[in-house]
Amino acid sequence: MEDLQKRFEGFIKPGSREALLLRQIHPERLPHHVAIIMDGNGRWALRRQKPRVVGHRAGAKAARQIVETAARLGIPVLTLYAFSTENWKRPQEEIEALMNLLREFLRKEVETLKRHDIRLRVIGRWEGLDAAIREELHGAMAETATNTRMQLVVALNYSGRMELVDAFRHLYREARERQLPPEAITEALIAQYLYTADLPDPDLLIRTSGEMRVSNFLLWQIAYTELYVTETLWPDFRPAHFFQALIDYQRRERRYGGLGTAALP
Ligand code: IPE
Ligand code: IPE
Ligand code: MG
C-alpha cells in the first residue's frame, strides 16, 4: 500500500489528528472526482457578528487549503462550486466582494497550482463575468493548461439546468446539420455536450453547512454520486474534515441500482 503520509510531509504534523485520519484512507480506493458545494460563509460571519464578506474571505482561504490537500492525496478531479447563476440575486456589494476575492484567489493560487502540477478549468457561463475576471481566468488556465496531476474545476456563474439548456441547443444544431435520427441521441452523446464533457462524473459530492439540497449543481452528473453533508461551515472546513468525508465514502457500497453485497448469503 502506497504511503499517503509521505505525500503530506511538511503539510500535516505527524501524530496529529489529521495524520491519524489520513492513516484510515485507502489510497487505492480514492474517488476520481470530488465535487464540493462550499456553503456557509455568510453564517460563519454572522456568528462572529462580522459582515458576510469576512466569511467569504475565510472561505477562500479554506478553499486554497483543500485544493492542495486534494492534489497531495492524488484525487484526479476536484470541482468547487464558487458562484451560481442564482447568486446574482444577492446584494451588489456582496457580489462585488465575491468577484474581488475570486481575482485575489486566482492571483495567489496560480503559483500553488503550478507547483503542484494542477490544471485550472472553469465551468458555467463564465464568459458572462466581468472582463477583468475573464482575463485573470484566461491567464490562469493558459499558465496551467499542460499540468496533469489534478484538474481543479471551478464552477462560476454555473447552473445545472442552464448547462442542460446549453447542451440541448448545441446538440440540436449539430443534429440538424448532420441529420441525425432521434435514436442517435444517447446518454453518452448528451454527456459529450455538457461543460464536463471529458470529465468523469463525481464519485463524491460534499456539501458544508448542513443544507440537504443540491442547489442546481451538476444535475446530470450526480445521478449516482455519493452525497456527504456536514454541519461544518465552509470557512471551518479543514483537511481533517475532508479526510473524514473520504473515510465515510470508502465505507459505502455503491450499487448503481443492482443488489451489491446485500444479495450475498
Ligand atoms: C457560500 O456561502 C458562498 C457562496 C454561495 C458564494 P453563503 O454565502 O451561501 O453562506 P450562507 O449560506 O449564507 O451561510
Ligand atoms: C450554493 O449555495 C452555491 C454555491 C455554494 C456557490 P447557495 O447558498 O447559493 O445555495 P442555497 O441558496 O442555500 O440553495
Ligand atoms: Mg448559502
Side-chain angles (χ1 to χ4, degrees):
M1 194 164 97
E2 200 191 335
D3 190 8
L4 276 185
Q5 312 286 323
K6 250 200 156 74
R7 298 195 204 156
F8 283 89
E9 267 169 17
F11 187 78
I12 279 173
K13 264 206 232 93
S16 64
R17 185 165 158 259
E18 281 100 328
L20 293 178
L21 288 168
L22 187 58
R23 255 178 229 291
Q24 297 179 49
I25 298 174
H26 301 284
E28 71 284 3
R29 285 197 285 117
L30 281 168
H32 297 286
H33 183 175
V34 178
I36 309 183
I37 302 177
M38 310 182 288
D39 198 17
N41 296 350
R43 275 162 280 178
W44 187 90
L46 193 71
R47 283 184 197 171
R48 285 163 179 74
Q49 294 175 303
K50 295 265 168 58
R52 293 178 62 84
V53 55
V54 176
H56 292 314
R57 184 168 291 283
K61 205 169 153 192
R64 292 172 60 199
Q65 216 183 13
I66 294 305
V67 168
E68 183 165 344
T69 303
R72 283 178 184 267
L73 280 166
I75 292 172
V77 186
L78 175 71
T79 299
L80 300 178
Y81 201 3
F83 193 83
S84 78
T85 304
E86 290 76 23
N87 288 147
W88 293 110
K89 292 178 197 161
R90 297 192 179 195
Q92 194 53 36
E93 192 188 325
E94 181 171 347
I95 294 172
E96 271 170 32
L98 278 167
M99 294 300 158
N100 287 335
L101 271 172
L102 175 63
R103 282 177 66 188
E104 197 182 311
F105 173 89
L106 290 167
R107 270 199 302 268
K108 285 189 183 163
E109 200 58 10
V110 151
E111 285 316 309
T112 315
L113 299 182
K114 289 207 260 188
R115 190 167 46 203
H116 291 281
D117 195 18
I118 303 168
R119 175 179 171 197
L120 176 76
R121 301 187 43 179
V122 185
I123 57 169
R125 286 192 183 169
W126 64 279
E127 295 290 348
L129 300 177
D130 277 2
I133 306 256
R134 286 202 313 266
E135 213 170 286
E136 203 82 52
L137 285 166
H138 273 300
M141 283 192 283
E143 279 190 72
T144 62
T146 55
N147 293 351
T148 56
R149 186 182 186 190
M150 182 175 93
Q151 300 197 57
L152 170 64
V153 184
V154 180
L156 281 176
N157 193 16
Y158 176 88
S159 144
R161 287 192 171 180
M162 209 79 97
E163 176 178 33
L164 290 169
V165 169
D166 285 346
F168 293 155
R169 285 182 181 166
H170 190 180
L171 184 52
Y172 171 73
R173 242 180 274 126
E174 294 225 341
R176 207 176 37 179
E177 270 166 32
R178 290 161 49 198
Q179 299 192 323
L180 292 181
E183 302 72 45
I185 313 293
T186 59
E187 286 194 18
L189 189 72
I190 292 174
Q192 279 173 32
Y193 286 81
L194 300 174
Y195 306 144
T196 54
D198 56 342
L199 297 172
D201 287 340
D203 299 297
L204 173 64
L205 172 64
I206 299 173
R207 181 166 189 148
T208 56
S209 305
E211 237 71 71
M212 298 283 186
R213 53 177 175 256
V214 293
S215 300
N216 211 356
F217 194 39
L218 303 174
L219 298 180
W220 173 278
Q221 297 88 337
I222 60 172
Y224 269 105
T225 298
E226 294 295 325
L227 309 179
Y228 180 88
V229 178
T230 170
E231 289 295 328
T232 304
L233 304 174
W234 177 252
D236 292 326
F237 196 82
R238 294 284 171 278
H241 299 97
F242 195 30
F243 295 161
Q244 195 62 68
L246 294 169
I247 293 165
D248 193 290
Y249 164 82
Q250 291 188 331
R251 286 194 188 126
R252 300 193 192 175
E253 185 192 13
R254 302 182 75 184
R255 293 198 199 130
Y256 301 97
L259 293 177
T261 56
L264 297 175

